Amino acid sequence: MKPLLSCLNGDKPNTPPIWLMRQAGRYLPEYRQLRQQAPNFVEFCFNPEMAAEATLQPIRRFGMDGAILFADILLIPHALGCRVRFMEGVGPVFEPITSADALSQTEEWREIVAPVGETVRRVRAALPAETTLIGFAGAPWTVATYLVEGGTSRDHAKTRAWAFSDPVGFDALIQRLVDTTVDYLAMQVDAGADVVQLFDSWAGALPADGIERWSLAPCVAVATRLRERYPQLPVIVFPRAVGPAAAWYATSGAFAGVGIDSSIPPQWAAETLQPHCVVQGNLDPLVLRAGGEALQNSAQSIQRALQGGRHIFNLGHGVVPDTSLEHVGELVRLIRGEV
């Protein structure tokens, strides 16, 4: 039995399954050692042996209920001809685009991302039988912001300005990303992913009507088309910083689970979201870094608030790099009632 998959499929386990966003990464010494073997981050992600090893490292160390594929949300635009570079201290860097025509219209992108499918196959073969394999992609809006801004942005002003001033042209970009994301995630499912998650990290940069048009609607489209191909496939969406608009995702009927960030009160999520889907979240990553009494109190408070429905314990965002290994292990034991 896979507790995380069972939870998404309608069962309510006595103990919530647990996995953590960015559970594979820089806080693990074995990851840092592995990363040194690749010339750059993109090549690391496209190396099935290394990416599979990175995916498996936190499972070996902590035994989480879910193993999330080690990759990056920007591999799709990279494969579509908008090459990304990851610069130390800066993050991802693109040549900014101003038209959907900047994305390649050929099918060559499938060959470029094919190593990701091989990574999934390798992880699937090595995972314990009880561990759910989670594939993922960036949501179209979030991926679009990186393309238009040329990298990370504080206010996403260029992207919002384009969307508001030329909604038809911007819709063309979103639609191209929807189509590609569906096929990219389908490749992961065919290779062995049990569940897929859409990360809409910058959904909260939009106003309410923009959330509905450029975050919610594209995510629903991706999930709906995937479930047409794979009727039993659970899809999780993580629309970060959308506040009460999280209810739109939960009530859409498209998602088996909705991830919530740390700003959303768990009791509100229990009352508003849990009647419709699994709630995933939402411990503050800095509470995990702090550890001790703060970690114990916050984790237990979240569990109490969400214990009446289906809940996957996770963070409200990703593990921060300087998080103590001991704190991660303590959290896993705490959620499982082993401390």
Side-chain angles (χ1 to χ4, degrees):
M1 182 187 72
K2 299 180 179 182
L4 194 154
L5 183 60
S6 296
C7 180
L8 288 165
N9 283 332
D11 293 337
K12 183 183 178 299
N14 293 328
T15 300
I18 179 172
W19 70 279
L20 307 178
M21 290 183 283
R22 292 188 191 152
Q23 66 187 19
R26 289 176 289 174
Y27 76 104
L28 292 171
E30 57 266 43
Y31 170 83
R32 294 194 297 270
Q33 184 177 14
L34 180 68
R35 175 65 182 85
Q36 292 175 358
Q37 300 175 31
N40 60 65
F41 186 68
V42 173
E43 290 191 36
F44 185 95
C45 290
F46 282 140
N47 183 311
E49 182 179 0
M50 290 185 179
E53 171 62 19
T55 304
L56 293 164
Q57 285 174 347
I59 306 305
R60 295 195 197 105
R61 186 182 277 273
F62 302 113
M64 277 89 165
D65 295 298
I68 186 163
L69 168 70
F70 186 88
D72 193 88
I73 65 170
L74 300 179
L75 297 185
I76 283 181
H78 183 84
L80 289 171
C82 298
R83 300 294 189 243
V84 61
R85 294 177 293 118
F86 288 86
M87 299 179 61
E88 190 68 31
V90 176
V93 177
F94 287 94
E95 186 67 32
I97 71 169
T98 57
S99 167
D101 293 337
L103 300 181
S104 170
Q105 301 301 311
T106 73
E107 294 298 298
E108 182 185 4
W109 72 271
R110 298 178 189 274
E111 298 178 13
I112 296 173
V113 299
V116 176
E118 176 58 24
T119 299
V120 174
R121 283 186 285 273
R122 289 180 180 226
V123 174
R124 172 82 284 153
L127 273 183
E130 68 274 13
T131 308
T132 297
L133 177 51
I134 307 165
F136 79 92
W141 161 258
T142 286
V143 173
T145 67
Y146 285 98
L147 285 168
V148 178
E149 304 292 336
T152 304
S153 170
R154 289 187 177 181
D155 57 10
H156 307 94
K158 293 180 182 178
T159 318
R160 291 186 290 125
W162 178 5
F164 301 150
S165 63
D166 178 23
V168 174
F170 191 73
D171 280 345
L173 173 62
I174 292 293
Q175 187 58 53
R176 176 65 172 142
L177 292 172
V178 166
D179 294 342
T180 309
T181 301
V182 170
D183 288 347
Y184 177 64
L185 289 173
M187 177 194 72
Q188 296 179 32
V189 175
D190 289 339
D194 299 305
V195 176
V196 296
Q197 174 161 312
L198 286 167
F199 284 87
D200 216 347
S201 304
W202 303 122
L206 286 162
D209 56 349
I211 289 174
E212 191 170 14
R213 179 168 183 173
W214 290 304
S215 173
L216 175 63
C219 287
V220 167
V222 171
T224 300
R225 287 170 57 181
L226 282 170
R227 289 194 298 119
E228 288 172 355
R229 298 192 195 186
Y230 313 98
Q232 304 305 313
L233 176 70
V235 179
I236 305 169
V237 66
F238 177 53
R240 182 167 171 253
V242 297
W248 300 347
Y249 300 80
T251 59
S252 69
F255 308 107
V258 172
I260 57 173
D261 63 80
S262 304
S263 70
I264 291 184
Q267 188 57 50
W268 179 88
E271 297 168 356
T272 309
L273 309 183
Q274 269 188 329
H276 306 284
C277 64
V278 176
V279 170
Q280 179 175 276
N282 68 333
L283 183 74
D284 190 320
L286 295 183
V287 171
L288 177 60
R289 185 178 71 175
E293 186 175 349
L295 173 59
Q296 182 173 352
N297 291 343
S298 186
Q300 290 177 339
S301 176
I302 292 168
Q303 278 192 286
R304 283 194 299 270
L306 295 167
Q307 65 184 351
R310 291 180 296 144
H311 176 214
I312 296 170
F313 199 96
N314 208 310
L315 303 180
H317 202 214
V319 178
V320 296
D322 57 348
T323 299
S324 163
L325 300 176
E326 288 73 20
H327 295 172
V328 177
E330 179 186 358
L331 175 62
V332 174
R333 293 190 300 273
L334 183 66
I335 298 306
R336 291 177 174 164
E338 297 170 357
V339 293

